[in-house]
């Protein structure tokens, strides 16, 4: 199982149709819609992306609560009173609200936040495909108010089976962060784009293809 995260401040994204998106990558879905975001990620990483799925923060928290929470390993003390995070290093069991705060806080860095999101998503997926925990609730996913996806309902049984067979698989989770995956990070001189990361597209593609293929 491979999880790759592109930092939200990444700019100059190839869209796969000859155009380049000069804004930050986290604006593509809202500005150009989800198909464009999927195509941009595919073009940036040089891989095929079969499907997309998007939910909002409330539904994310509900999905965590629906399977009884998630277990995580907190790498370092996290303290962010603005969103109610105060966790000591070590194992922790998080409910939906706590998990949402855990993956939202930037008290350390955007890159560490992305790594925590990967950690929670892997654990959440395992719980949802577990025969004793999540499978009875799979039908409830159709009631998620924010759910947007091009995955068809008829595909769910196959995807669930793939997930179950993968519960013990090794996981490679990488945040495509500087310095390896960026030419520049910081306030860009002479522009109004603010803090940006100009990606090293060749390095990103080389990694993605080595892990995932074409």
């Amino acid at each position: 199982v491979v999880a790759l995260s592109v930092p939200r401040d990444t700019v100059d994204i190839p869209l796969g149709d000859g155009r380049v998106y000069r804004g930050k990558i986290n604006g593509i879905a809202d500005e150009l819609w989800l198909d464009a975001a999927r195509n941009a990620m595919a073009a940036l990483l040089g891989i095929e992306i079969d499907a997309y799925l998007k939910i909002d923060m409330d539904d994310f928290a509900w999905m965590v609560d629906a399977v009884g929470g998630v277990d995580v390993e907190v790498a370092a003390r996290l303290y962010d009173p603005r969103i109610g995070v105060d966790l000591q290093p070590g194992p922790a069991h998080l409910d939906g609200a706590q998990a949402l705060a855990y993956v939202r806080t930037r008290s350390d860095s955007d890159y560490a936040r992305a790594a925590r999101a990967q950690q929670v998503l892997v654990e959440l997926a395992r719980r949802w495909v577990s025969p004793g925990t999540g499978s009875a609730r799979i039908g409830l996913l159709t009631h998620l108010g924010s759910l947007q996806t091009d995955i068809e309902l008829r595909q769910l049984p196959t995807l669930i089976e793939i997930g179950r067979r993968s519960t013990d698989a090794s996981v490679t989770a990488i945040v495509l962060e500087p310095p390896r995956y960026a030419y520049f990070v910081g306030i860009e001189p002479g522009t109004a784009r603010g803090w940006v990361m100009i990606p090293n597209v060749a390095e990103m593609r080389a990694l993605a293809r080595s892990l995932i293929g074409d």
Side-chain angles (χ1 to χ4, degrees):
V1 176
V2 176
L4 300 179
S5 292
V6 179
R8 65 168 191 158
D9 291 321
T10 306
V11 295
D12 300 341
I13 311 298
L15 293 176
D17 58 3
R19 295 180 296 158
V20 174
Y21 185 79
R22 299 299 181 187
K24 298 185 180 184
I25 194 169
N26 64 349
I28 295 178
D30 286 335
E31 186 175 337
L32 303 178
W33 203 234
L34 292 175
D35 278 328
R38 186 251 305 276
N39 294 340
M41 290 294 289
L44 177 66
L45 300 178
I47 59 175
E48 182 177 348
I49 296 178
D50 297 307
Y52 62 77
L53 185 148
K54 178 184 177 184
I55 61 171
D56 66 15
M57 290 185 285
D58 289 338
D59 280 345
F60 168 83
W62 176 87
M63 288 187 69
V64 173
D65 284 331
V67 289
V70 293
D71 295 315
V72 300
E73 186 72 23
V74 181
R77 170 102 189 271
L78 282 177
Y79 180 67
D80 188 346
R82 297 172 304 163
I83 58 175
V85 175
D86 189 1
L87 294 171
Q88 298 294 330
H93 183 80
L94 308 179
D95 63 20
Q98 293 169 326
L100 180 59
Y102 182 69
V103 302
R104 287 189 65 205
T105 181
R106 290 186 288 150
S107 60
D108 40 13
S109 71
D110 268 338
Y111 313 121
R113 175 173 69 167
R116 288 193 297 274
Q118 292 174 337
Q119 182 187 29
V120 170
L121 287 173
V122 170
E123 170 70 6
L124 187 59
R126 283 177 170 156
R127 286 179 175 260
W128 270 93
V129 299
S130 169
T133 305
S135 57
R137 300 177 176 89
I138 290 293
L140 297 176
L141 293 176
T142 60
H143 300 294
L144 291 175
S146 68
L147 178 63
Q148 299 175 52
T149 182
D150 58 353
I151 299 171
E152 297 180 16
L153 193 59
R154 63 179 177 81
Q155 295 175 288
L156 272 183
T158 300
L159 294 175
I160 292 168
E161 183 60 26
I162 291 171
R164 285 178 179 160
R165 295 185 185 190
S166 303
T167 53
D168 293 327
S170 62
V171 176
T172 299
I174 297 174
V175 179
L176 301 177
E177 62 184 283
R180 178 178 176 182
Y181 301 105
Y183 287 122
F184 173 83
V185 177
I187 302 293
E188 189 177 31
T191 75
R193 297 197 293 184
W195 187 280
V196 301
M197 174 177 138
I198 297 177
N200 185 332
V201 176
E203 281 290 326
M204 289 185 176
R205 288 176 178 171
L207 175 73
R209 286 173 176 168
S210 72
L211 296 173
I212 301 172
D214 295 329

